[in-house]
């Protein structure tokens, strides 16, 4: 049996984590012969609820689950962790402005970044799911000395999957026939789902669907899908978010196919004119656990306007939290 690897999950008592933990414990992330240890981080008042989740994990009798630790201490949770899912974040309360939410979460992710820099595995992969995910990831990265851009990403796989799913439904094909979709920018309603380079069974997506559907239906539905789910089921999209987190981390570990890429929010290096340092979703390919932004794609004027709009949104978020960046 292999040496167990440690997975740390913050916000472990929440709905997204509830959809995620059992899949991690079953071996879905790392394979059927890799034991795992789960370090579950929560705020102190939520620990009793989390104990019930741990009971369920025990009752599943997963052969690969070596140990489960509950804690309200980030150092205990993150010490030497191999993979970290930062799911927990403060939700927006009544009367709270977006700037207030940014500031409240900035303090949380500043602390978590500092702890990861202090006691984390230098090869750790950290995926930020808690919103506003892009800016939270930037804050954690900028406060994690000793770690690099390659250690951090923010959630855009959920948006990527939504775009793939909608295009597949429109074209009447399974999702695996869709390639090279891109979601640019922020994990918000300001994102830009782009089909200019997408293919459907080898054909250009924009030759299969009409421009009016792309611009007036597809983009808006992907941007607002989270709100549509809440309206339909009365709760946020926990299961699909957990699935996206799992699939992103799987791909980060195993790599992308030669003929495809994923959308991944990573620290901008200036590619496509995006300000350096912003955590921005790009098309990326992954080899041996390292991501590279896909280069040389043509960007239409229509697309450029959308990229710049999402960039401005992230710049505004940056201005709100820059006093907390190292």
């Amino acid at each position: 049996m292999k040496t167990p690897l440690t997975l740390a999950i913050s916000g472990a008592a929440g709905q997204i984590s509830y959809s995620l933990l059992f899949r991690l414990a079953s071996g879905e992330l790392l394979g059927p012969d890799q034991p795992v240890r789960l370090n579950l981080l929560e705020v102190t008042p939520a620990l009793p609820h989390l104990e019930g989740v741990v009971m369920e994990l025990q009752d599943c009798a997963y052969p690969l689950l070596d140990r489960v630790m509950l804690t309200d201490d980030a150092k205990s949770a993150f010490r030497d962790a191999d993979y970290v899912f930062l799911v927990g974040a403060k939700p927006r309360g009544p009367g709270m402005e977006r700037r207030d939410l940014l500031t409240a979460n900035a303090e949380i992710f500043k602390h978590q970044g500092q702890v990861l820099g202090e006691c984390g595995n230098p090869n750790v992969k950290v995926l930020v799911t808690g919103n506003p995910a892009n800016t939270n990831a930037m804050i954690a990265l900028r406060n994690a000395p000793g770690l690099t851009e390659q250690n951090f990403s923010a959630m855009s796989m959920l948006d990527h999957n939504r775009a793939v799913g909608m295009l597949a439904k429109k074209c009447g094909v399974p999702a695996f026939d869709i390639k090279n979709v891109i979601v640019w920018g922020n994990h918000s309603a300001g994102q830009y789902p782009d089909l200019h380079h997408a293919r459907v069974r080898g054909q250009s997506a924009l030759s299969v669907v009409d421009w009016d559907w792309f611009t007036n239906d597809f983009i808006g539905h992907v941007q607002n899908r989270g709100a549509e789910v809440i309206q339909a089921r009365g709760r946020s999209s926990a299961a699909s978010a957990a699935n996206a987190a799992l699939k992103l981390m799987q791909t980060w570990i195993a790599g992308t196919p030669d003929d495809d890429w994923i959308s991944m929010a990573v620290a901008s290096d200036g590619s496509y004119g995006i300000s350096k340092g912003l955590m921005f979703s790009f098309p990326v390919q992954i080899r041996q656990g390292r991501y590279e932004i896909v280069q040389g794609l043509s960007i239409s004027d229509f697309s450029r306007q959308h990229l710049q709009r999402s960039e401005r949104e992230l710049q505004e978020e940056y201005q709100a939290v820059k006093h907390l960046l190292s």
Side-chain angles (χ1 to χ4, degrees):
M1 187 70 76
K2 295 180 179 178
T3 301
L5 295 177
T6 299
L7 315 179
I9 301 92
S10 74
Q15 287 299 305
I16 293 176
S17 293
Y18 189 76
S19 294
L20 176 65
L21 291 175
F22 298 90
R23 298 175 70 176
L24 296 177
S26 73
E28 190 171 345
L29 175 65
L30 297 172
D33 61 347
Q34 177 58 65
V36 296
R37 294 172 175 169
L38 299 181
N39 290 356
L40 308 184
L41 176 65
E42 257 300 355
V43 295
T44 306
L47 289 178
H49 176 74
L50 185 56
E51 288 176 357
V53 178
V54 174
M55 290 178 190
E56 287 199 81
L57 285 166
Q58 292 170 342
D59 292 347
C60 290
Y62 290 117
L64 295 174
L65 184 56
D66 180 76
R67 185 203 68 197
V68 182
M69 179 183 71
L70 286 71
T71 183
D72 57 4
D73 177 61
K75 288 185 179 180
S76 298
F78 298 156
R79 183 170 288 112
D80 298 324
D82 299 286
Y83 305 99
V84 176
F85 296 84
L86 297 184
V87 180
K90 184 180 179 65
R92 183 182 294 187
M96 182 182 285
E97 299 292 334
R98 183 172 178 83
R99 184 183 183 90
D100 298 329
L101 181 65
L102 282 165
T103 301
N105 278 302
E107 295 285 357
I108 295 170
F109 284 85
K110 176 181 180 180
H111 173 66
Q112 292 182 344
Q114 290 170 336
V115 173
L116 283 162
E118 176 184 340
C119 63
N121 181 329
N123 296 313
V124 66
K125 288 177 167 48
V126 181
L127 173 60
V128 177
T129 299
N131 283 317
N134 293 56
T135 295
N136 287 342
M138 178 184 67
I139 294 165
L141 167 60
R142 293 280 291 273
N143 284 282
L147 299 181
T148 73
E149 290 87 349
Q150 286 288 334
N151 295 109
F152 287 86
S153 177
M155 173 69 83
S156 60
M157 184 64 121
L158 176 57
D159 310 305
H160 183 96
N161 287 346
R162 286 168 170 168
V164 169
M166 288 185 192
L167 180 59
K169 180 180 178 181
K170 174 68 173 178
C171 297
V173 301
F176 63 74
D177 281 335
I178 306 295
K179 306 287 185 184
N180 302 127
V181 166
I182 306 170
V183 175
W184 303 92
N186 200 4
H187 179 57
S188 73
Q191 67 185 252
Y192 171 48
D194 181 9
L195 297 183
H196 282 83
H197 304 279
R199 292 176 292 137
V200 180
R201 291 185 172 174
Q203 293 182 274
S204 167
L206 291 180
S207 71
V208 177
V209 301
D210 62 84
W211 181 258
D212 182 71
W213 178 83
F214 169 55
T215 56
N216 296 320
D217 193 349
F218 172 79
I219 293 175
H221 277 299
V222 176
Q223 290 173 332
N224 297 293
R225 184 66 160 191
E228 292 176 0
V229 171
I230 291 173
Q231 184 177 6
R233 70 183 294 264
R235 293 184 179 183
S236 61
S237 47
S240 56
N243 178 72
L246 178 69
K247 297 304 181 184
L248 184 281
M249 194 67 85
Q250 279 181 331
T251 308
W252 200 352
I253 295 166
T256 50
D258 291 337
D259 63 344
D260 203 2
W261 54 59
I262 61 169
S263 302
M264 186 172 179
V266 300
S268 173
D269 59 1
S271 294
Y272 300 100
I274 301 303
S275 302
K276 290 184 178 180
L278 291 180
M279 195 66 66
F280 197 90
S281 182
F282 293 96
V284 306
Q285 291 185 312
I286 301 172
R287 301 286 183 272
Q288 298 181 333
R290 295 182 61 83
Y291 64 77
E292 292 186 358
I293 297 171
V294 175
Q295 299 294 330
L297 300 177
S298 60
I299 305 296
S300 68
D301 290 342
F302 177 85
S303 294
R304 179 66 62 190
Q305 291 174 4
H306 283 275
L307 265 67
Q308 291 173 342
R309 187 176 299 122
S310 196
E311 179 187 26
R312 286 194 297 270
E313 182 180 68
L314 284 166
Q315 287 171 333
E316 291 171 2
E317 293 184 10
Y318 165 79
Q319 290 299 320
V321 302
K322 65 179 183 180
H323 61 289
L324 294 171
L325 302 179
S326 298

